[in-house]
Amino acid sequence: MSEQRPRIVVTGRIPEPGLDLLRTVGDVWAWDHDDPIPTSVRDEHLAHADAVVTLLTDRVDDAFLEAAPQVRVVANVAVGYNNIDVSACTSRGVIVTNTPGVLTDATADLAMTLMLMVTRRLGEGERLIRSGAPWKWGMFMMLGSGIQGRQLGIIGMGGIGQALARRAKAFGMTIAYHNRSSVGADLEGELGATRMSLDEILETSHVVSLNCPYTDDTHHLINAAALSKMRADAVLVNTARGPIIDEAALVDALRSGEIAAAALDVFEQEPIVHPGLHDLDNVVLVPHLGSATIETRTAMATLAASNVVAVLSGQPPVTPVG
Ligand code: GLV
């Protein structure tokens, strides 16, 4: 009798090359809809799963793991894994993996794009044209501010922060960063980057970009107190995770002119956007598009699948977390 192939559950739609790779080591069942998988359907399939590929919208907690008694690996198709209770996985002997590296450039590109959109008021310009309202060129029409010679303060100087620093340097910005550890003298020299305390970053930067993971330590890192330390002409950019910002405090700071503007790719109660943000002209809002290129999402799916293949073949995962 032939041995049963491992069963692999994929909780949402991922690019086909990822599924093809998974099929080389097991029988794959994938939820093939954009709507989230209903818990009852998920649990029915988790009951026999040896491996599961998850999306950042899945919550992998005790209830999830109890439904998946034989699962050996949870492969998240995201670099962030705040959706996964890693210690609950580890205590059950379940390996957790993520997809670092492959989305660095796409996410840094988006952070740079948001920075330019918000400083050059491109969202406002687009909304004006689309509204059908009459307009004509004017010397003082919709003036933004240049970024050359301005300081970009990067909070979280991992791969994405560094990739953003390279881009911003090419645009003529000076780079400051806040990180638990130094990136080293060589990289600081190459980027012309200065390491600062969080307060110094907030007090001196024209643009503050969030590029850190979301953890207990970074929950509401940017709260009312932090916002009050920022310059009145400062811009806040978030391509990391929504709950790093206290959105209610941000709305107050934007309304009162405590800071100049914000550009957000991620939201505290995603996909709900704090209602106060919709009405503000000095805000750019995009729907969590950091890694949203065909190439990047394909690479993420393939890397997640490689992690499953490795674990099911008795090898160490390619990109473990925890
Ligand atoms: C996207 O937000 C990711 O964490 O990969």
Side-chain angles (χ1 to χ4, degrees), residues 229-246:
K229 292 177 185 150
M230 290 174 67
R231 301 168 55 107
D233 60 356
V235 164
L236 180 64
V237 177
N238 190 7
T239 53
R241 282 292 182 269
I244 299 172
I245 297 179
D246 176 346

Side-chain angles (χ1 to χ4, degrees), residues 75-254:
N76 209 34
V77 189
V79 65
Y81 51 91
N82 53 293
N83 57 312
I84 297 181
D85 184 341
V86 177
S87 59
C89 289
T90 309
S91 67
R92 289 171 156 88
V94 176
I95 293 169
V96 180
T97 68
N98 67 341
T99 60
V102 292
L103 46 71
T104 299
D105 283 330
T107 309
D109 284 350
L110 189 83
M112 195 71 220
T113 305
L114 289 178
M115 198 191 310
L116 289 166
M117 277 186 79
V118 72
T119 54
R120 297 298 301 274
R121 302 176 61 179
L122 300 185
E124 282 176 76
E126 239 250 339
R127 287 193 292 278
L128 173 67
I129 301 249
R130 284 185 188 276
S131 75
W135 66 276
K136 58 181 181 329
W137 184 89
M139 181 65 81
F140 297 99
M141 185 195 180
M142 235 175 240
L143 299 186
S145 54
I147 55 173
Q148 292 70 32
R150 304 285 165 107
Q151 178 176 302
L152 168 63
I154 298 175
I155 298 178
M157 196 62 159
I160 296 170
Q162 292 171 27
L164 174 62
R166 289 206 167 79
R167 285 156 175 74
K169 183 171 185 262
F171 276 78
M173 299 188 84
T174 58
I175 311 299
Y177 73 98
H178 175 67
N179 202 54
R180 267 183 308 194
S181 53
S182 162
V183 295
D186 286 355
L187 192 54
E188 284 184 353
E190 183 197 324
L191 298 170
T194 310
R195 185 165 169 227
M196 292 183 179
S197 69
L198 180 60
D199 279 359
E200 263 182 295
I201 289 275
L202 295 172
E203 283 159 12
T204 61
S205 300
H206 299 92
V207 179
V208 172
S209 174
L210 303 179
N211 298 100
C212 52
Y214 174 53
T215 63
D216 289 345
D217 290 341
T218 61
H219 177 76
H220 283 189
L221 184 72
I222 305 300
N223 55 15
L227 289 159
S228 73
K229 292 177 185 150
M230 290 174 67
R231 301 168 55 107
D233 60 356
V235 164
L236 180 64
V237 177
N238 190 7
T239 53
R241 282 292 182 269
I244 299 172
I245 297 179
D246 176 346
E247 269 175 14
L250 176 63
V251 169
D252 288 345
L254 289 163

Side-chain angles (χ1 to χ4, degrees), residues 6 19 51 75-76 79 116 152 188 199 249 256-257 269 274 296 301 310 312 318:
L19 294 173
N76 209 34
V79 65
L116 289 166
L152 168 63
E188 284 184 353
D199 279 359
S256 67
Q269 308 283 343
H274 191 290
T296 302
L312 294 183
V318 190

Side-chain angles (χ1 to χ4, degrees), residues 288-302:
H288 203 149
L289 298 176
S291 63
T293 69
I294 294 166
E295 300 83 354
T296 302
R297 289 281 164 83
T298 303
M300 290 166 72
T302 308

